[in-house]
Amino acid sequence: MTAQPSLSRRAAAELVGTAGLLVVVIGSGLKAAELSRDTGVALIANSFASAIGLGLIITIFGPLSGAHLNPVVTLTSWWSRRTGGAGLGGREALVYAAAQSAGAIAGALVAEVMFGRTPGTFATQVRDGGHLLIGEVVATAGLVLLIQGLGRTGRPKLIPPAVAAYIAAAIWFTSSGSFANPAGTIGRSFSDSFTGIAPESLPGFVGAQLVGGILGLALAALLYGTGSGTGSGTGSRSRFGGRFGRSVKPASVDGASPAKAAYETVG
């Protein structure tokens, strides 16, 4: 059985991983806007870079913390544990969410400094309207359903590339641009740029993301049964058999980090 990383190490992985994600998202948006005045071209570049960066970050930090990088994913992990599956305890979930939020803000500031901009300037791009909130509900529900579905059907090694591909697609097929991450949304409010969101738009977006997380969990239970899920976020902490909803004893579980075997064939 692999030794469980300490909570401090896992929190550090979540902080650094989320910071890296925001550097990629905001930095690629700044670069794209700098090189092209065509919004469509800029969005193609931003979505492409964000997907690649996300997949790599999940692959690197997954074996340490599960690479949640997202409070909604962490909350689904906590809920999985409450319902009898593998997942995080309440204290761990709070530490994860705090680390993710701090990392997102830090990543946004690093991106701003890297492009010669004044750090700490709040975004002015207001994103409001019910259609955008519906887009966030759809984007977040789909993300949670994807992670839960792959975990519950015994395919956790597909999660890093699948999540990256989903986000790249959701940036285009949702009206909101698929923020789908409360910590990332907060971080992006610290960048008055192509990818930013004004602070006054945060409550609606974060609320919609939480609703989407609940909807994703409900859909996973409906489609795959109410048996134990992976509960660990973008990485799996246990193996599951081919029958939906039926859990199988994992060969190796290392606490709050995913099963290492799930990542050995990735990357």
Side-chain angles (χ1 to χ4, degrees):
M1 182 175 291
T2 308
Q4 174 184 350
S6 66
L7 180 57
S8 61
R9 285 182 61 197
R10 287 182 275 139
E14 288 295 305
L15 189 151
V16 175
T18 310
L21 176 60
L22 267 291
V23 168
V24 170
V25 171
I26 294 175
S28 63
L30 289 170
K31 190 68 172 181
E34 183 181 284
L35 295 176
S36 176
R37 294 183 180 180
D38 188 314
T39 303
V41 172
L43 188 58
I44 289 173
N46 178 238
S47 59
F48 185 70
S50 297
I52 293 175
L54 177 58
L56 292 174
I57 289 169
I58 293 173
T59 302
I60 293 169
F61 293 103
L64 289 174
S65 65
H68 295 196
L69 315 175
N70 185 336
V72 168
V73 176
T74 294
L75 286 174
T76 62
S77 175
W78 169 77
W79 180 254
S80 292
R81 180 163 177 170
R82 284 182 59 86
T83 54
L88 298 178
R91 176 172 172 268
E92 292 174 306
L94 287 174
V95 171
Y96 267 47
Q100 292 155 0
S101 299
I105 294 172
L109 298 179
V110 169
E112 292 285 296
V113 171
M114 187 168 59
F115 280 86
R117 295 160 59 92
T118 302
T121 302
F122 287 113
T124 57
Q125 185 172 351
V126 176
R127 300 176 188 262
D128 55 16
H131 65 294
L132 296 183
L133 300 185
I134 292 173
E136 278 302 284
V137 171
V138 171
T140 312
L143 176 63
V144 171
L145 179 60
L146 174 66
I147 294 169
Q148 291 286 318
L150 289 175
R152 295 186 186 204
T153 56
R155 295 175 292 169
K157 67 182 180 181
L158 294 179
I159 291 177
V163 168
Y166 174 80
I167 292 300
I171 288 174
W172 283 92
F173 74 70
T174 62
S175 58
S176 63
S178 185
F179 283 49
N181 182 338
T185 304
I186 292 171
R188 287 164 72 164
S189 72
F190 284 82
S191 175
D192 190 16
S193 65
F194 175 72
T195 57
I197 177 172
E200 57 263 39
S201 300
L202 290 179
F205 264 57
V206 171
Q209 290 156 3
L210 293 175
V211 171
I214 295 171
L215 178 59
L217 280 175
L219 288 172
L222 174 66
L223 296 172
Y224 303 108
T226 57
S228 301
T230 63
S232 64
T234 47
S236 172
R237 292 163 65 181
S238 57
R239 297 280 186 164
F240 292 82
R243 295 181 182 178
F244 300 161
R246 178 184 176 186
S247 61
V248 179
K249 184 177 179 180
S252 174
V253 178
D254 58 352
S257 66
K260 300 297 188 293
Y263 288 90
E264 288 174 354
T265 59
V266 177

